[in-house]
């Protein structure tokens, strides 16, 4: 490798480290393995809410109740803690919402992104996040035509929303869910444990996307 190429790689690595420096992080020990999530300072309400719930042990013993291959894994329904096998989950929450903190093009639904679930637009036109259910993005790689169509959609959202070239190439070459950009708040990303997420996605599920064998959060803690 040439000295110039090495220097450029070293510089890029340094920039990536700087961007993540100082972020708060949460580690979730699950029955499938450990997942480390860094929380974005650009979404302070979502960051602080997630930290509050983790510190209060809210997520301990909850299930990843929704697993959709090539899409997401989802957890945080308080009704899942003592749920009977086969029972329908996904409707549980806490009695408040969070104001949307959509930050495009900086924060988007790339593979590994962590975002908050919410109620549908017809009952939640402001697209406020639910209090506690979150999902981790997997998402397949998309064709140029699909990503171009999503770019055009995002351009209509206003408020400075746009699809950057980085987003475009990420969706084509790595994967993610561009169809969710602008609609849900992305507030963090998995920095360790995407192999665990991939393992979860291999689970056999029922007709409601609940794993037949429970995948449980044993404990969640803030990395101090």
């Amino acid at each position: 490798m040439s000295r110039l190429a090495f220097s450029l790689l070293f510089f890029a690595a340094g920039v990536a480290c700087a961007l993540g420096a100082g972020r708060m992080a949460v580690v979730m020990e699950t029955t499938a393995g450990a997942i480390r999530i860094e929380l974005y300072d650009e979404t302070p309400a979502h960051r602080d809410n997630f930290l509050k719930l983790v510190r209060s042990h809210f997520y301990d013993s909850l299930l990843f109740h929704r697993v959709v291959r090539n899409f997401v894994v989802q957890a945080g329904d308080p009704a899942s803690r003592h749920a009977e096998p086969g029972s329908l989950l996904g409707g549980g929450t806490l009695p408040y919402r969070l104001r949307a903190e959509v930050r495009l093009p900086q924060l988007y639904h790339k593979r590994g992104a962590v975002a908050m679930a919410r109620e549908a637009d017809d009952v939640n036109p402001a697209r406020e996040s639910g209090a506690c259910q979150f999902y981790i993005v997997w998402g397949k790689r998309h064709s140029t035509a699909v990503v171009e169509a999503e770019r055009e959609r995002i351009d209509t959202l206003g408020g400075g929303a746009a699809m950057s070239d980085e987003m475009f190439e990420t969706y084509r070459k790595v994967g993610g869910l561009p169809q969710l950009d602008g609609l849900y708040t992305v507030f963090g990303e998995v920095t360790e444990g995407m192999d665990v997420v991939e393992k979860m996605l291999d689970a056999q599920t029922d007709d409601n996307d609940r794993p037949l064998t429970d995948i449980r959060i044993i404990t969640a803690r803030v990395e101090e």
Side-chain angles (χ1 to χ4, degrees), residues 104-180:
L104 289 173
Q106 294 87 357
L107 310 179
Y108 58 100
H109 282 79
K110 64 185 179 181
R111 183 170 293 178
V114 182
M116 223 59 176
R118 64 174 179 83
E119 292 183 294
D121 288 2
D122 59 344
V123 295
N124 180 25
R127 294 170 176 164
E128 294 177 314
S129 298
C132 52
Q133 289 197 41
F134 67 94
Y135 58 89
I136 300 172
V137 172
W138 186 263
K140 64 182 181 179
R141 292 189 294 272
H142 299 272
S143 70
T144 298
V146 167
V147 184
E148 282 284 10
E150 290 302 329
R151 172 177 267 173
E152 291 176 6
R153 178 188 64 81
I154 289 170
D155 284 346
T156 69
L157 296 177
M163 179 179 286
S164 66
D165 291 341
E166 174 194 306
M167 293 170 66
F168 193 95
E169 291 305 308
T170 297
Y171 287 136
R172 286 183 61 248
K173 297 178 179 179
V174 180
L177 298 172
Q179 65 269 37
L180 300 186

